[in-house]
DNA sequence: CGTGCGTGTTACTAGCGGTAACCCTAGTTT
DNA sequence: AAACTAGGGTTACCGCTAGTAACACGCACG
């Protein structure tokens, strides 16, 4: 009953698991988020049931697969957030890091953001948004803690930081999604525009006509 | 060839169509976005093929069904955006309108936002984000035009307005999604926090320790 | 020798979106 | 009146998906 000892079988299983994840990665990179379990199993050179033995469930595979990219992206974002520069530069670097990531691997990004929601089984939870888009949630919480740690927001700072964390991440996400589809401008311009928005240019802008404006 | 004349058959077909949409509405309200064509047909008291005769396709039904709620929501948002008040109040009213809508009918909201992406057919387009989340896109464009019409943003105002439109809508969406799942505060607090974010409180906040801060 | 145990397969279930083929009734034409 | 046509409707199917039960091989250990 020595739980700490790693047997050969365990190590072999871990290696197998990694191989399967890499195969899944390739398929997702090729087919996008609709990658089927059949296709992944075929790419790995095996059949479905062993996939299910390793990951239990499609969402299990999804979770394991997502964790890799999510962790990598979060590390990059943390690095950008911790760079030795003033706040504006940090915000711009963070935005640029995220946008560069989704630009480099749109299929993976799409897989992480729109995980097809399971669907047919009886798990139709009414708990809205519970297991959807874990990456967005994670990034939101992460950003919230950074904001709360670093900024002096007065009373209610914790609530405020969380709202802002999720709000900013959502802004980044939606703008990135739209930008990736239409490519209306360069990445740098997008970053500047979003930073300007966060810097209150919306409130500071003048009205165009006589009325009070938007 | 009098195209304007509505025959009895046409009117009957339109009525039928409306009945089907109402049935679909009920099912979506009950089952969320996983509502199957079978379930909708059963609710309407008929079978699948006639559903397909009317809407061609699941995404056709989705589009028709979404248009109703989307139009209704967009009307509310436009009204909030056009209210006779200063800019801050309008922004808060718009945020509150959206949040009240998703709070009132989370299932419908979920259906509009996460339309299950089709999936199995060979339309696996690499055009990322093309047919996903039409409501978010529409709201983004709508807000962009309002911003561009009303605000004086100097050179490049059109690009800036579009980026902001999509960014703000995404912020609203993500924050709303998170809030709906966790309910960490009242709607009014959420609205105030988001408006504060848009008003540049992020840039204006002081650092907590010696460093340059976030 | 046999007895597990891990690894793999085949073959299946249940349900999905979508469709082809038929059926039946009402109205029109000859 | 008899025949023919036009829609609305159904049954029965296809191909696909996620997920699983049951069976088959290989290899260590008593």
């Amino acid at each position: 009953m020595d739980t700490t000892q790693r047997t050969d079988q365990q190590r072999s299983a871990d290696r197998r698991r990694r191989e399967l994840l890499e195969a899944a990665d390739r398929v997702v990179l090729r087919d996008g988020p609709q990658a089927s379990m059949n296709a992944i199993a075929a790419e790995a050179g095996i059949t479905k049931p062993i996939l299910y033995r390793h990951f239990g469930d499609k969402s299990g595979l999804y979770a394991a697969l997502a964790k890799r990219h999510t962790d990598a992206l979060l590390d990059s974002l943390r690095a950008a957030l911790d760079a030795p520069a003033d706040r504006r530069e940090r915000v711009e670097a963070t935005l640029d890091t995220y946008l560069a990531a989704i630009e480099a691997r749109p299929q993976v990004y799409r897989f992480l953001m729109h995980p097809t929601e399971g669907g047919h089984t009886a798990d139709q939870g009414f708990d809205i948004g519970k297991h959807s888009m874990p990456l967005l949630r994670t990034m939101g919480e992460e950003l919230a803690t950074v904001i709360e740690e670093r900024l002096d927001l007065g009373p209610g700072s914790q609530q405020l930081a969380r709202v802002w964390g999720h709000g900013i991440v959502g802004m980044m996400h939606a703008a990135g999604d739209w930008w990736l589809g239409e490519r209306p401008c360069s990445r740098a311009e997008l970053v500047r525009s979003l930073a300007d928005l966060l810097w209150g240019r919306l409130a500071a802008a003048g009205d165009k006509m006589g009325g009070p404006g938007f």
Side-chain angles (χ1 to χ4, degrees), chain A residues 2-129:
Chain A
D2 190 347
T3 59
T4 64
Q5 182 180 358
R6 325 210 80 203
T7 69
D8 286 0
Q9 296 164 25
Q10 273 176 333
R11 257 182 296 142
S12 152
D14 279 11
R15 240 191 42 217
R16 199 59 156 164
R17 192 185 162 90
R18 232 169 293 142
E19 289 175 12
L20 297 185
L21 280 178
E22 276 161 29
D25 230 353
R26 266 171 281 152
V27 176
V28 165
L29 203 60
R30 170 159 42 85
D31 294 353
Q34 296 105 359
S36 79
M37 297 298 266
N38 256 325
I40 292 173
E43 170 72 28
I46 44 106
T47 49
K48 271 193 301 178
I50 93 172
L51 258 185
Y52 281 94
R53 283 224 251 271
H54 271 271
F55 302 102
D57 183 315
K58 190 190 174 94
S59 71
L61 175 68
Y62 162 73
L65 192 50
K67 194 170 181 345
R68 308 178 115 205
H69 298 106
T70 295
D71 287 353
L73 179 55
L74 283 176
D75 284 349
S76 306
L77 290 178
R78 269 187 282 262
L81 231 32
D82 282 343
D86 69 9
R87 196 182 301 165
R88 168 87 186 210
E89 280 179 58
R90 287 179 184 202
V91 168
E92 292 197 359
T94 306
L95 289 169
D96 193 66
T97 299
Y98 173 81
L99 293 172
I102 71 171
E103 185 181 24
R105 290 224 194 87
Q107 296 289 3
V108 172
Y109 149 75
R110 202 157 150 70
F111 173 71
L112 290 177
M113 294 302 183
H114 312 294
T116 63
E117 314 263 342
H120 71 80
T121 46
D123 70 352
Q124 49 146 4
F126 290 85
D127 51 332
I128 175 170

Side-chain angles (χ1 to χ4, degrees), chain A residues 161-197:
Chain A
R162 292 189 80 202
V163 172
W164 286 8
H166 289 280
I168 292 173
V169 165
M171 181 201 77
M172 194 167 73
H173 165 58
D177 205 44
W178 163 75
W179 172 75
L180 211 56
E182 302 202 7
R183 292 303 183 105
C185 61
S186 74
R187 209 171 75 209
E189 281 180 287
L190 180 61
V191 167
R192 253 178 51 92
S193 301
L194 289 176
D196 278 356
L197 176 60

